[in-house]
Amino acid sequence: MRCTINNDGSWKTEVVACLSPSGSRIPLNGKIIEDNSEWSCANNDQGKVALSQGPNPYATCGNHAVGSRWQEKSFELECRPGGVRELKACVTEDGQRIPVNGTKQVGGFTLVCQQYQNGTVVFHGSKSVKAPQNFSQDHAVKCIDEQSGQRDIGEHWIENHRFNKTCKENGAVEVVNCISKDGYSIPLNGQIIRNRTKYSCEMTSQGTIRYAAGPVE
């Protein structure tokens, strides 16, 4: 503030600068850059001096420039003004994109890329478990996998890169556990945390197997 005293004894005060949250002085009608923010001090529509915050137009997202896109694990990100990292899509192992809050059918799976209001992102898929098939008594019991191949009782195999399955005595195919992209085994109806990522594997009430991976909150 500046106080001016006139010769007739009258006086007035006027704003000559604003202070940023860190205490930096911003001249009236001026701007400064602090971290990922641009602070400006100016008269608003009501004629009052206001301090405004906006994105730093020069801020980057690490080594990524504003407007660029890149992939981290299973997520496609874009660098927005102010150095804000914005999720654009989830990406499958073969490069297929599922937009944020969208779904896609891939290899018999329903894949979902879901972002919650608190910013948490979960990329998960579900697949129905086939009911056991009946075999005649004069044939050995076999299981049928997703490629219509026969499997022996007690045999284990990986299907769709995500599910470790086995053949039971009655010809039923059961999921033993889920497998993450990085090769971690997640027990059925359990979860693990590795490298700040939470993985879960569960059987839903509808009988489908649901695998999910997302950052730890």
Side-chain angles (χ1 to χ4, degrees), residues 60-72:
T60 62
C61 303
N63 296 324
H64 304 282
V66 173
S68 64
R69 292 192 181 189
W70 70 98
Q71 184 175 334
E72 290 184 5

Side-chain angles (χ1 to χ4, degrees), residues 190-205:
Q191 64 180 29
I192 64 172
I193 296 176
R194 296 289 187 276
N195 298 323
R196 298 189 60 79
T197 299
K198 181 168 68 176
Y199 304 92
S200 63
C201 178
E202 64 174 328
M203 177 177 286
T204 68
S205 57

Side-chain angles (χ1 to χ4, degrees), residues 56-203:
N56 177 358
Y58 309 106
T60 62
C61 303
N63 296 324
H64 304 282
V66 173
S68 64
R69 292 192 181 189
W70 70 98
Q71 184 175 334
E72 290 184 5
K73 295 186 177 180
S74 299
F75 304 103
E76 181 183 287
L77 305 170
E78 180 178 352
C79 186
R80 305 292 296 165
V84 177
R85 296 153 57 100
E86 181 178 300
L87 177 70
K88 304 303 293 185
C90 298
V91 185
T92 66
E93 289 186 344
D94 59 357
Q96 298 192 57
R97 298 174 69 259
I98 297 94
V100 177
N101 296 324
T103 62
K104 192 171 188 177
Q105 297 291 326
V106 178
F109 288 83
T110 300
L111 300 181
V112 181
C113 181
Q114 190 170 8
Q115 184 172 37
Y116 296 93
Q117 291 184 348
N118 63 1
T120 300
V121 179
V122 176
F123 183 29
H124 60 84
S126 61
K127 187 179 184 68
S128 298
V129 178
K130 287 186 175 181
Q133 297 190 13
N134 294 323
F135 295 87
S136 60
Q137 295 296 324
D138 56 346
H139 287 81
V141 175
K142 297 281 187 179
C143 294
I144 305 299
D145 62 23
E146 295 292 336
Q147 286 72 44
S148 299
Q150 294 188 359
R151 300 284 183 169
D152 295 325
I153 293 175
E155 183 178 354
H156 288 75
W157 67 98
I158 305 296
E159 282 192 339
N160 300 104
H161 309 287
R162 286 290 176 269
F163 302 100
N164 180 21
K165 296 185 176 182
T166 188
C167 178
K168 306 298 288 185
E169 290 81 358
N170 61 351
V173 175
E174 289 189 1
V175 174
V176 179
N177 56 270
C178 299
I179 308 294
S180 75
K181 182 179 180 179
D182 298 319
Y184 301 125
S185 295
I186 305 97
L188 186 62
N189 296 321
Q191 64 180 29
I192 64 172
I193 296 176
R194 296 289 187 276
N195 298 323
R196 298 189 60 79
T197 299
K198 181 168 68 176
Y199 304 92
S200 63
C201 178
E202 64 174 328
M203 177 177 286

